[in-house]
């Protein structure tokens, strides 16, 4: 099935026929241009039905969909482990929630688009049987890594939710004089984002880097919730571009210990706070110089 541009008419019919015969859960998200403080809703397969050839119906038992009625929404689901989606307006009547299936079903694009000269990271450790496991990580778009995060970086409609998360996380930290917990702004912001459907079900996508300074680094994820464990030590390799060269890189290899984890209310988006261990003096100075004056 060629899904680069979307499904053709025959492929679309195959997918809808499959959904008629097989229970298929879907995720409903407010479309970006209609973004408000409405979080994604995962609708269980038992509440999803295909009516005729053109309509998807969801049970009116799913009350969380009510704020989305009359809005443009994105319906995401998997067919043979491939992420698909379509966008249309959600309507409601006495029989449930309905959305017309457009002629074009689209494939979920790969989430990571990494700039050529971006900082990169690889977390590695030895698993059972001395098997080496590596997890890639890249800076999250629009997150300023070496500066103190600002509240205005959080979408206005989400600042109240982010503030609640920040206060909850700050309360459980043993804060000493001069401790900087501003990284929790980035954590709270990250946990308020919409849950995204990945291109291929079960695929381990890279982690997001949402904060870094000379003492710690914070990763975020939406589909590798068990990738790092609190208390465990890992090897981290950071590579920084030198100038405009696509080849020259400054490499820092350091240990990290997972100090804490933070999750949203649904538990499907998570952040890992990792402290550096055994960093060389010259690497410390290099990171220190990355911080704006």
């Amino acid at each position: 099935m060629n899904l680069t541009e979307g499904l053709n008419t025959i492929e679309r019919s195959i997918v809808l026929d499959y959904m008629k015969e097989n229970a298929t859960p879907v995720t409903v998200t407010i479309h970006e241009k209609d973004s408000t403080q409405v979080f994604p809703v995962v609708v269980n397969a038992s509440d999803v039905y295909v009516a005729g050839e053109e309509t998807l119906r969801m049970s009116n038992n799913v009350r969380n969909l009510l704020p989305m009625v009359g809005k443009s929404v994105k319906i995401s689901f998997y067919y043979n482990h491939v992420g698909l989606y379509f966008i249309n307006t959600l309507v409601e009547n006495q029989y449930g929630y309905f959305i017309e299936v457009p002629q074009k079903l689209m494939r979920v694009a790969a989430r990571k688009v990494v700039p050529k000269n971006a900082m990169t990271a690889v977390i590695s450790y030895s698993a059972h049987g001395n098997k080496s496991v590596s997890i890639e990580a890249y800076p999250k778009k629009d997150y300023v890594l070496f500066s103190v995060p600002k509240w205005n970086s959080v979408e206005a409609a989400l600042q109240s939710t982010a503030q609640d998360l920040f206060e909850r996380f700050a309360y459980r930290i043993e804060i000493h004089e001069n401790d900087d917990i501003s990284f929790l702004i980035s954590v709270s912001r990250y946990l308020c984002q919409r849950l995204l459907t990945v291109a291929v079900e079960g695929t381990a996508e890279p982690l997001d880097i949402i904060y870094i300074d000379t003492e710690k680094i914070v990763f975020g994820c939406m589909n590798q919730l068990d990738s790092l464990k609190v208390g465990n030590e890992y090897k981290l390799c950071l590579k920084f571009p030198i100038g405009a060269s696509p080849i020259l890189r400054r490499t820092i290899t350091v240990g990290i210990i997972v100090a804490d984890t933070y999750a949203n209310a649904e538990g499907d988006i998570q952040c890992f706070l990792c402290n550096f261990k055994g960093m060389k003096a010259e690497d410390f100075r290099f990171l220190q110089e990355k911080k704006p004056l």
Side-chain angles (χ1 to χ4, degrees):
M1 181 182 292
N2 182 6
L3 301 178
T4 303
E5 298 295 332
L7 279 63
N8 60 35
T9 302
I10 295 175
E11 293 168 338
R12 174 184 181 276
S13 296
I14 292 173
V15 170
L16 291 179
D17 286 342
Y18 171 86
M19 294 181 72
K20 288 179 183 178
E21 301 296 329
N22 299 271
T24 304
V26 302
T27 300
V28 187
T29 309
I30 290 287
H31 190 36
E32 185 175 357
K33 65 181 181 181
D34 294 321
S35 176
T36 61
Q37 192 176 0
V38 180
F39 290 91
V41 175
V42 178
V43 183
N44 294 329
S46 58
D47 290 315
V48 179
Y49 315 89
V50 176
E53 293 294 328
E54 308 293 335
T55 306
L56 193 73
R57 177 170 72 88
M58 289 166 283
S59 169
N60 50 19
N61 293 328
V62 190
R63 303 308 301 171
N64 289 344
L65 290 177
L66 192 58
M68 301 185 184
V69 172
K71 298 183 181 297
S72 177
V73 300
K74 180 178 180 180
I75 304 291
S76 306
F77 59 95
Y78 290 104
Y79 169 74
N80 282 350
H81 303 291
V82 174
L84 302 175
Y85 75 92
F86 63 87
I87 297 169
N88 218 331
T89 302
L90 185 69
V91 298
E92 181 193 22
N93 63 25
Q94 60 182 330
Y95 302 107
Y97 302 93
F98 293 81
I99 186 166
E100 296 296 318
V101 181
Q103 290 302 307
K104 205 73 166 179
L105 296 181
M106 303 302 296
R107 182 180 184 177
V108 175
R111 188 164 63 93
K112 293 294 179 182
V113 178
V114 182
K116 291 182 180 179
N117 285 339
M119 177 186 79
T120 62
V122 176
I123 305 165
S124 59
Y125 61 95
S126 295
H128 297 294
N130 291 324
K131 178 182 176 181
S132 180
V133 177
S134 296
I135 304 171
E136 295 181 338
Y138 300 99
K140 175 70 172 172
K141 183 180 178 182
D142 296 329
Y143 281 68
V144 180
L145 300 183
F146 289 93
S147 297
V148 175
K150 306 297 184 184
W151 270 113
N152 60 12
S153 66
V154 183
E155 186 178 344
L158 300 176
Q159 286 189 3
S160 176
T161 303
Q163 181 71 34
D164 290 343
L165 290 171
F166 180 91
E167 291 175 357
R168 176 156 60 90
F169 297 148
Y171 181 77
R172 77 188 201 196
I173 293 178
E174 184 179 347
I175 302 175
H176 301 92
E177 187 176 1
N178 297 323
D179 278 356
D180 181 8
I181 62 170
S182 62
F183 73 92
L184 289 176
I185 296 176
S186 291
V187 168
S188 302
R189 174 189 175 190
Y190 187 88
L191 296 179
C192 285
Q193 70 183 315
R194 299 175 186 85
L195 181 65
L196 301 178
T197 302
V198 298
V200 180
E201 188 176 20
T203 299
E205 289 197 331
L207 302 182
D208 292 312
I209 303 172
I210 64 172
Y211 181 87
I212 182 173
D213 59 26
T214 55
E215 299 178 349
K216 57 188 171 292
I217 185 169
V218 182
F219 301 100
C221 70
M222 288 184 282
N223 72 325
Q224 294 199 71
L225 303 184
D226 295 323
S227 53
L228 304 178
K229 302 288 188 183
V230 172
N232 283 7
E233 184 174 342
Y234 303 90
K235 177 183 176 182
L236 176 66
C237 180
L238 295 169
K239 292 187 177 182
F240 296 85
I242 298 178
S245 171
I247 300 175
L248 297 179
R249 298 261 166 173
R250 168 67 186 267
T251 300
I252 293 178
T253 301
V254 65
I256 55 172
I257 298 177
V258 183
D260 206 349
T261 61
Y262 309 92
N264 63 350
E266 294 75 20
D268 50 20
I269 303 178
Q270 189 164 311
C271 294
F272 304 96
L273 169 62
C274 303
N275 293 329
F276 293 130
K277 179 182 179 182
M279 179 175 289
K280 298 177 182 177
E282 59 267 29
D283 293 334
F284 181 91
R285 288 193 295 269
F286 178 82
L287 292 182
Q288 198 170 37
E289 291 171 356
K290 301 290 286 184
K291 186 175 181 179
L293 297 176

